Amino acid sequence: MRKIQQAPVVVMDFSRVYELEKFADNPDFIHLDCTDVHGSECILSQDAEQEIRRRISPYDARGIHFIDSGDYHYMTRLWTDKIQTPFTLLLVDHHTDMQPSQVPGIVTCGNWVNSVIDHNPYLRKVILLGMPEDALAQIPPSYRNRVEYISKQQFSDILRGKLRLQTTGAIYLSIDKDVLSRQYVITNWDQGDITLEESLQFVSLLLDNEHLLGIDVCGEFPIMKSLFDEKRATDMDSLANEVILDTVEEHVQTQQVPL
């Protein structure tokens, strides 16, 4: 059985989707069953937040966290709340997750980045990568001076070594697999066109050149009634998660990356 010695693997199951993904069947991983946490889907209730914080309290932001579908992407807010050093939040996502709040004080899968900016004193800036440029218009003006956008051309330049990220402090990396083409994964949101190979190359570059505090991955396919769609999608998601994990493991074990 594989085990990443220095980088714990945490699997947070809200929807039971990881029961269908082969990569997650590993007793060396930290499995957190959150299927009984009510008020956690898309919108994070105060009771749910309190209970989830209790369950993740023994662990820190270090390592790689699998946090279910994009409906639970607000988990990045809770993991980054554990960071106590200056850092950059690097969000690789087909959406900004910076929608204007409809109800002040309520954290959702669509506005959690705003909440990190508002509440985390160690956050220095947010870098957004993978969403269409016109999506930036939804970002409230008051947040735009804390946000840097990486265009598709800049992303290509980074992969070719022509450009390097301008970060402040260490990096916490959050990946929503909806940034990938449907050739590689199927999510419950509209998707981008980045290839799995490009995403793995990007993760490798970060591990080679930056100090990563932690990583989380979401974008699982929701369990649905169609058994055919469910089996195909969860197999694709599991493979994507497996190769992301392999990439991280290779750097942690062979290059002593302090993740």
Side-chain angles (χ1 to χ4, degrees):
M1 284 290 185
R2 175 182 55 216
K3 184 175 183 179
I4 298 179
Q5 299 292 342
Q6 299 135 300
V9 179
V10 179
V11 178
M12 301 190 69
D13 201 343
F14 289 89
S15 67
R16 299 194 187 283
V17 69
Y18 292 120
E19 295 177 6
L20 305 177
E21 295 190 22
K22 291 181 181 179
F23 96 96
D25 185 18
N26 188 327
D28 290 326
F29 295 171
I30 298 166
H31 292 268
L32 299 180
D33 184 355
C34 298
T35 57
D36 61 336
V37 179
H38 301 291
S40 63
E41 186 175 1
C42 293
I43 298 174
L44 180 63
S45 72
Q46 291 183 346
D47 288 345
E49 178 178 352
Q50 182 177 6
E51 178 57 26
I52 293 169
R53 287 189 186 277
R54 185 188 68 79
R55 297 187 188 192
I56 68 173
S57 61
Y59 317 106
D60 56 29
R62 183 175 57 89
I64 181 167
H65 317 96
F66 292 90
I67 56 176
D68 213 294
S69 80
D71 294 349
Y72 306 95
H73 205 164
Y74 59 74
M75 276 305 310
T76 306
R77 155 78 201 276
L78 275 61
W79 283 113
T80 54
D81 278 352
K82 294 173 172 286
I83 297 173
Q84 296 187 1
T85 189
F87 75 101
T88 292
L89 171 62
L90 174 52
L91 175 62
V92 180
D93 197 319
H94 191 54
H95 308 87
T96 66
D97 290 355
M98 296 189 70
Q99 297 175 6
S101 178
Q102 301 301 313
V103 181
I106 298 298
V107 179
T108 73
C109 61
N111 72 8
W112 64 267
V113 176
N114 303 353
S115 184
V116 177
I117 293 174
D118 287 341
H119 297 287
N120 196 313
Y122 296 100
L123 179 70
R124 293 300 178 259
K125 70 176 177 179
V126 177
I127 298 177
L128 303 177
L129 188 161
M131 61 285 303
E133 190 168 356
D134 57 9
L136 302 180
Q138 71 181 271
I139 300 176
S142 60
Y143 292 100
R144 292 178 187 172
N145 66 335
R146 301 285 299 279
V147 174
E148 177 182 328
Y149 174 66
I150 302 297
S151 69
K152 190 170 184 178
Q153 181 58 55
Q154 289 172 318
F155 179 57
S156 178
D157 288 343
I158 289 171
L159 295 183
R160 291 184 294 171
K162 297 175 62 177
L163 181 68
R164 184 165 175 175
L165 289 173
Q166 298 300 311
T167 62
T168 302
I171 292 176
Y172 185 91
L173 173 64
S174 183
I175 302 172
D176 190 328
K177 295 198 298 292
D178 69 16
V179 77
L180 299 174
S181 161
R182 291 178 69 85
Q183 176 183 349
Y184 303 99
V185 296
I186 300 175
T187 74
N188 59 333
W189 296 90
D190 59 303
Q191 293 182 217
D193 59 4
I194 291 177
T195 69
L196 184 57
E197 291 77 14
E198 288 172 332
S199 68
L200 296 176
Q201 183 182 352
F202 183 64
V203 171
S204 292
L205 284 171
L206 291 175
L207 289 166
D208 283 341
N209 299 298
E210 308 290 346
H211 178 198
L212 264 65
L213 295 169
I215 302 171
D216 62 46
V217 180
C218 70
E220 308 314 308
F221 182 75
I223 296 177
M224 302 181 72
K225 295 181 180 179
S226 170
L227 295 179
F228 175 80
D229 289 344
E230 182 178 285
K231 178 67 166 61
R232 175 170 176 264
T234 53
D235 284 350
M236 293 171 72
D237 277 339
S238 183
L239 177 59
N241 290 335
E242 181 84 18
V243 295
I244 291 171
L245 194 53
D246 283 344
T247 300
V248 175
E249 177 190 33
E250 178 184 352
H251 284 74
V252 170
Q253 291 189 342
T254 65
Q255 300 183 27
Q256 300 299 309
V257 174
L259 182 62

